[in-house]
Amino acid sequence: MMADYTVRDQVAVIELDNPPVNALGSAVRAGIYDGIRKADRDPNIKAVVICGKRGTFCAGADIREFDGGKNGPWITDIGDFIDNMKKPVVAAIEGFALGGGLEVALFCHYRIALKTVRVGQPEVQIGLLPGGGGTIRLPRATGLKNALDIITTGNHVPAEKAAKMGIIDQIVTGDIIEEGIKFVKSKCNIDTSLVCLRMKTVKYSGDLDDISEAAMTKVKSKFKGAIAPIVCVKSVINSAKMPYEKGIDTEKEHFQDLRHSSQSKAMRYAFFAERAITRWQLPSGGNYKTAKPLPVKTSGVIGAGTMGGGIALCLITSGIPCILVEQNQQFLDKGLEIVKAQLMRTVQLGKLSTEQAKKCFTMLKPTTNIEDLKNVDLVIEAVYEDLKLKREIFEKLDRICKSETILCTNTSSLHIDSIATATKRQSKVVGTHFFAPSYIMKLLENIYGTKTSAETVATVMKLGKTIKKVPVLVGSCTGFVANRMLKPYSEEAQYCLEEGSTPSIVDTVLMDFGMPIGNFQVSDLSGLDIGFRIKREAARKAGVELSKNSRFFLGQRNCGLIEKLYEAGRMGKKNGKGWYKYESLNGKPIVDPEVTMLIEEHCRSLGIERRNIGSQEILERMQYAMINEGFKILEEGLCTMAEEIDVIWIYGFSWPKYMGGPMYYASQIGLKKIYEKVCYYHKTFPYSMHWVPSSLLAKLSQIDLPLSEWGDVAQGRKLVNKL
Ligand SMILES: CCCCCCCCCCCCC[C@H](O)CC(=O)SCCNC(=O)CCNC(=O)[C@H](O)C(C)(C)COP(=O)(O)OP(=O)(O)OC[C@H]1O[C@@H](n2cnc3c(N)ncnc32)[C@H](O)[C@@H]1OP(=O)(O)O
Ligand SMILES: NC(=O)c1ccc[n+]([C@@H]2O[C@H](COP(=O)([O-])OP(=O)(O)OC[C@H]3O[C@@H](n4cnc5c(N)ncnc54)[C@H](O)[C@@H]3O)[C@@H](O)[C@H]2O)c1
């Protein structure tokens, strides 16, 4: 039984016991159900306390059971029984009460909690709705408006706020079981039907249809393409429309439909992928279990530009004081203005109070003297992408900083060793690649060099969590994992343009798939000059000329459209014209006939015949080229598991979670089909190296192995014979 039953002072105490988070697996549900019936039967028992072991109440249903586990009692059987009990039942909450955990608490007649508790219905984040009465009972506790907000966002609610909302009856301090016993004994003479949520009506103001329509509009625009938030709204509205029993039955039907949906399966995969990637390991053997992170109590950032300012903000808003270094006062002032503006925006969004923002700002120490970094625990360099400059800075830092200081680079493409070798502490040099806008985007790609120590890796992995990012560890190569995969994806988008498509057609196809923004809109946001400079630098390094009219560059297929747009002064959103035109800095992309003419002229001058390219082809070419690259990355050991690639795309490029990530998507399409298409495109476009099929993909396409084992095959941890 996974719920302990003990008796203290005529009160039955049912303690959920399922490590690590007391998930409501079938045995736990059975344990609670048996416990309450036993307590009800026993005339010596006056009341019941339900609580959890290990400092937490319950993190909800056991997500692993959703793919087909043991049946056990349905969670609402527990609720139905408590609803008819005369003996009072209290949920005594510490830690978390989430999902089914909160639902169990809502079955109880009362809820008490420690101040540190968080409650919530996060089911929507794994493509579900609360299926244990949450959509029907939470509105009865807190009203329709709050319930809609909590259930459609999945956000956690801190205890004191939950108490104000009517979800928690009392905040307590001290031992939660003792408090629970004391509390519930004081309620023994109160008629339980008076406090039972089933008996309450749902409070709301205004017209129900209007509320429903407004909520639908909101979730459709906020969670584009996702089904679960829509179903959540429907079910919460049902709580006010339908009798209790009908609402509960309808909710259960919705839950079962969603449980079997491809979106929820993908989101459940993503949930565990995010946790799997925390179990990192280095080729040298160091890993998450054995390596101890160093403390990061103080930090420094060099360069207060687009990236550095946001990185400094991440540090100070997480309570880590930061010294921000710029090359001169003018750049420093400019950078500080941007940091301040971003902080103000955080206040406007209600994420920080004005007081908190002011306190954060005092943790930032701007300077133009790099020597000020001598005592900090960790430095993140974010100056221009110029190897010579970065090496100079690392050489200086090595001299200035105390020997324990970890030196990080935010380079987006340079090999870590090429920077680390400028120091005498290569074991303490590591890549910390943030994504723009660095304060907002969740991905932190941590890159180890040949000599980076496990302790250094452990430190930046922990730092990533501290600053509320999703850290993923990868090996070093040009562009690392994210940008290396992005390259074939963007190149195919440009090839589609010269073969007959347009920026808006390509972007629409991607957004219809679920990407929040199209490839050419992203390019306009980053600035076309960036893409142009990268190409120009590659040409300079190779000692060749960058010719906009050549169909080949460095032995590969070339599309010179970026050069042509750059030459036409189209820098992107910053100057109001790029692949689209813009009426203002915050304006929406508008199709520009000038660009269409420019593309058509490009094709005419190079004798490229334009044709109609269907959306399926656009999607396939962009995605399969990138997926093929993903398999090469696994093959080269730059990632140890396919899950790392998926998490990188979800948090770095906003790949829709309900599609699981590109590698998961490939697993759903089938590797045989992907491999055949890659071979087909390789034949069709022989001058694009990214179509050379990955040998790992070729191997895996012949066998049926789950995604979780692809990394093992790549690294020889799993041998496959059948070929
Ligand atoms: C015939 C077959 C029928 C089968 C159907 C059975 C259905 C029965 C019940 C139906 C009705 C239930 C309806 C209910 O509304 C649905 C739900 O409750 S869905 C679950 C909702 N809860 C969540 O989404 C919470 C998920 N967890 C978290 O957010 C976090 O884990 C946390 C609780 C905030 C703690 O965070 P951290 O401290 O950072 O710890 P980790 O996140 O790393 O987690 C540690 C460890 O625990 C695993 N884990 C966490 N939550 C769950 C869970 N709910 N189920 C299973 N496992 C969970 C997590 O994966 C980690 O383990 P690891 O992966 O690292 O091994
Ligand atoms: N912009 C992006 O989208 C992005 C994304 C990820 C990573 N990166 C990487 O981040 C780094 C910075 O890029 P950015 O876009 O922020 O550049 P940026 O041009 O906006 O900012 C660079 C800043 O570094 C400062 N600087 C230059 N030399 C300095 C020195 N010697 N001492 C102190 N400051 C100095 C400059 O004055 C400038 O303010 C680059 O390596 C880039 O590749 C950029």
Side-chain angles (χ1 to χ4, degrees):
M1 211 44 68
M2 290 170 101
D4 267 11
Y5 183 95
T6 52
V7 178
R8 296 196 209 172
D9 203 9
Q10 290 192 296
V11 174
V13 178
I14 301 172
E15 277 180 280
L16 277 53
D17 183 11
N18 186 15
V21 290
N22 299 330
L24 281 179
S26 53
V28 178
R29 296 197 304 276
I32 305 173
Y33 193 50
D34 291 349
I36 48 168
R37 282 187 303 171
K38 187 169 167 183
D40 196 49
R41 275 196 310 268
D42 187 342
N44 293 319
I45 298 294
K46 299 278 174 259
V48 182
V49 172
I50 301 183
C51 54
K53 289 206 165 167
R54 281 169 301 278
T56 199
F57 188 74
C58 172
D62 186 341
I63 303 169
R64 291 188 200 272
E65 278 191 2
F66 291 161
D67 289 322
K70 293 184 194 120
N71 257 325
W74 191 255
I75 181 171
T76 47
D77 295 346
I78 299 169
D80 290 343
F81 193 87
I82 297 178
D83 282 346
N84 290 311
M85 279 173 74
K86 301 268 180 288
K87 298 174 186 178
V89 182
V90 65
I93 310 171
E94 52 183 342
F96 289 101
L98 301 174
L102 179 57
E103 290 173 322
V104 167
L106 293 169
F107 296 148
C108 298
H109 302 116
Y110 305 97
R111 288 152 293 282
I112 63 164
L114 297 183
K115 206 173 157 182
T116 47
V117 156
R118 287 177 169 265
V119 302
Q121 299 284 176
E123 289 87 342
V124 71
Q125 291 170 359
I126 47 171
L128 296 171
L129 87 166
T135 64
I136 307 301
R137 288 179 94 102
L138 189 64
R140 285 172 158 76
T142 184
L144 207 58
K145 186 173 176 293
N146 287 339
L148 273 170
D149 188 43
I150 293 171
I151 291 172
T152 59
T153 61
N155 289 343
H156 296 179
V157 186
E160 283 178 330
K161 192 171 175 195
K164 281 194 191 124
M165 289 178 159
I167 302 168
I168 302 284
D169 296 296
Q170 195 172 306
I171 304 286
V172 295
T173 48
D175 181 272
I176 194 68
I177 299 185
E178 294 303 327
E179 291 302 316
I181 293 171
K182 200 161 70 185
F183 181 94
V184 82
K185 284 182 78 173
S186 74
K187 304 290 179 191
C188 285
N189 295 326
I190 297 175
D191 178 354
T192 52
S193 69
L194 296 175
V195 288
C196 175
L197 285 175
R198 178 197 286 252
M199 310 298 172
K200 308 240 168 194
T201 52
V202 175
K203 293 206 173 73
Y204 61 90
S205 55
D207 178 76
L208 199 53
D209 288 337
D210 292 345
I211 297 172
S212 172
E213 203 181 309
M216 282 294 181
T217 310
K218 192 169 165 189
V219 297
K220 280 181 188 166
S221 95
K222 200 166 170 196
F223 310 105
K224 227 179 109 226
I227 305 166
I230 295 172
V231 184
C232 283
V233 171
K234 266 191 202 157
S235 195
V236 174
I237 296 293
N238 283 348
S239 72
K241 261 191 184 159
M242 293 180 174
Y244 178 85
E245 289 74 14
K246 181 138 193 262
I248 291 278
D249 289 348
T250 314
E251 180 198 73
K252 185 174 172 184
E253 278 167 28
H254 286 316
F255 178 81
Q256 295 292 30
D257 287 346
L258 286 177
R259 181 165 75 87
H260 293 294
S261 70
S262 61
Q263 289 202 356
S264 176
K265 284 181 184 161
M267 291 173 96
R268 270 137 55 190
Y269 156 79
F271 175 86
F272 289 112
E274 260 180 61
R275 277 133 188 105
I277 59 147
T278 62
R279 296 187 271 275
W280 57 268
Q281 58 184 59
L282 287 172
S284 58
N287 63 48
Y288 74 102
K289 270 194 220 153
T290 51
K292 279 220 156 51
L294 291 173
V296 180
K297 296 209 172 93
T298 52
S299 66
V301 169
I302 311 183
T306 311
M307 298 303 287
I311 296 171
L313 201 50
C314 292
L315 291 160
I316 57 172
T317 51
S318 306
I320 303 173
C322 175
I323 298 174
L324 182 59
V325 185
E326 252 297 345
Q327 55 178 328
N328 60 42
Q329 195 60 41
Q330 194 195 342
F331 277 106
L332 190 58
D333 291 342
K334 197 173 144 210
L336 283 176
E337 278 315 308
I338 298 170
V339 174
K340 262 190 216 159
Q342 186 108 45
L343 211 46
M344 290 286 288
R345 175 122 188 83
T346 313
V347 172
Q348 281 159 7
L349 290 172
K351 292 188 176 161
L352 282 181
S353 67
T354 312
E355 285 318 303
Q356 285 168 321
K358 276 187 188 156
K359 197 171 158 214
C360 280
F361 203 65
T362 62
M363 277 197 262
L364 190 68
K365 296 276 174 273
T367 179
T368 53
N369 184 3
I370 195 168
E371 306 265 342
D372 290 346
L373 295 175
K374 62 177 184 247
N375 287 322
V376 298
D377 297 326
L378 177 140
V379 179
I380 302 177
E381 163 279 310
V383 303
Y384 307 127
E385 188 76 343
D386 174 332
L387 181 59
K388 191 163 162 275
L389 174 64
K390 289 198 194 267
R391 280 184 65 88
E392 272 167 26
I393 287 183
F394 272 72
E395 192 272 330
K396 256 189 214 165
L397 287 172
D398 194 29
R399 250 187 305 115
I400 295 166
C401 297
K402 59 181 180 180
S403 59
E404 300 84 8
T405 307
I406 289 180
L407 306 180
C408 313
T409 170
N410 185 48
T411 174
S412 44
S413 61
L414 301 167
H415 272 274
I416 302 308
D417 288 356
S418 69
I419 299 170
T421 46
T423 73
K424 293 190 187 70
R425 58 172 95 186
Q426 290 189 52
S427 66
K428 290 195 169 290
V429 178
V430 66
T432 47
H433 183 206
F434 289 74
F435 285 70
S438 47
Y439 180 55
I440 309 286
M441 291 305 284
K442 297 285 263 180
L443 179 64
L444 178 63
E445 200 177 25
N446 286 332
I447 311 115
Y448 61 86
T450 314
K451 295 202 171 148
T452 309
S453 71
E455 182 186 64
T456 302
V457 169
T459 307
V460 291
M461 291 302 278
K462 172 146 189 251
L463 177 72
K465 277 222 151 190
T466 309
I467 62 174
K468 297 171 203 76
K469 299 285 177 198
V470 179
V472 185
L473 183 67
V474 303
S476 186
C477 64
T478 306
F480 317 127
V481 172
N483 287 343
R484 177 169 157 181
M485 285 178 77
L486 193 62
K487 189 168 177 274
Y489 177 86
S490 307
E491 282 176 354
E492 280 304 316
Q494 286 172 43
Y495 299 153
C496 285
L497 292 193
E498 60 178 14
E499 287 171 40
S501 198
T502 68
S504 72
I505 292 177
V506 171
D507 283 355
T508 307
V509 168
L510 295 172
M511 289 190 288
D512 285 349
F513 173 79
M515 301 301 287
I517 176 167
N519 175 76
F520 294 105
Q521 291 175 14
V522 174
S523 173
D524 276 354
L525 273 179
S526 321
L528 267 65
D529 48 327
I530 307 247
F532 173 75
R533 287 211 182 93
I534 292 173
K535 256 176 127 174
R536 191 174 57 186
E537 181 60 14
R540 192 191 59 77
K541 266 195 196 150
V544 296
E545 215 178 294
L546 184 61
S547 163
K548 60 183 189 251
N549 284 321
S550 171
R551 297 202 63 195
F552 292 93
F553 177 55
L554 304 178
Q556 285 210 59
R557 178 173 178 180
N558 179 51
C559 167
L561 276 170
I562 285 238
E563 290 90 315
K564 288 182 180 169
L565 264 77
Y566 179 83
E567 195 182 70
R570 307 190 74 100
M571 299 298 153
K573 201 161 185 181
K574 58 184 146 193
N575 76 341
K577 47 187 190 172
W579 295 105
Y580 297 90
K581 63 181 175 185
Y582 302 86
E583 278 168 356
S584 69
L585 216 54
N586 293 323
K588 286 198 165 26
I590 302 166
V591 172
D592 189 345
E594 251 183 49
V595 174
T596 318
M597 274 160 51
L598 199 144
I599 296 171
E600 285 170 356
E601 175 48 33
H602 168 84
C603 295
R604 251 192 313 274
S605 68
L606 294 172
I608 304 172
E609 207 170 301
R610 289 172 66 75
R611 64 186 167 94
N612 265 333
I613 308 184
S615 42
Q616 181 62 20
E617 181 182 338
I618 293 172
L619 209 55
E620 239 175 51
R621 283 174 57 182
M622 292 183 68
Q623 292 180 334
Y624 291 10
M626 168 263 274
I627 287 167
N628 189 38
E629 201 63 35
F631 280 100
K632 289 181 188 170
I633 283 167
L634 263 187
E635 198 175 305
E636 291 167 31
L638 297 164
C639 281
T640 58
M641 49 183 123
E643 287 91 336
E644 286 163 338
I645 295 175
D646 284 337
V647 173
I648 283 174
W649 273 79
I650 290 172
Y651 289 105
F653 302 128
S654 305
W655 178 282
K657 224 184 224 184
Y658 60 74
M659 290 284 191
M663 303 304 269
Y664 177 85
Y665 179 62
S667 77
Q668 300 304 295
I669 290 172
L671 298 194
K672 188 165 179 292
K673 178 171 173 202
I674 304 259
Y675 176 64
E676 280 165 6
K677 283 284 182 167
V678 168
C679 292
Y680 165 78
Y681 286 123
H682 180 40
K683 231 184 200 168
T684 315
F685 307 113
Y687 297 109
S688 294
M689 293 306 282
H690 56 240
W691 284 123
V692 173
S694 142
S695 49
L696 177 65
L697 173 61
K699 193 191 264 187
L700 291 170
S701 70
Q702 294 184 44
I703 44 179
D704 190 20
L705 270 189
L707 178 154
S708 57
E709 292 178 20
W710 295 353
D712 295 337
V713 173
Q715 313 221 339
R717 289 189 298 263
K718 185 176 181 87
L719 298 175
V720 284
N721 315 318
K722 205 176 126 194
L723 265 186

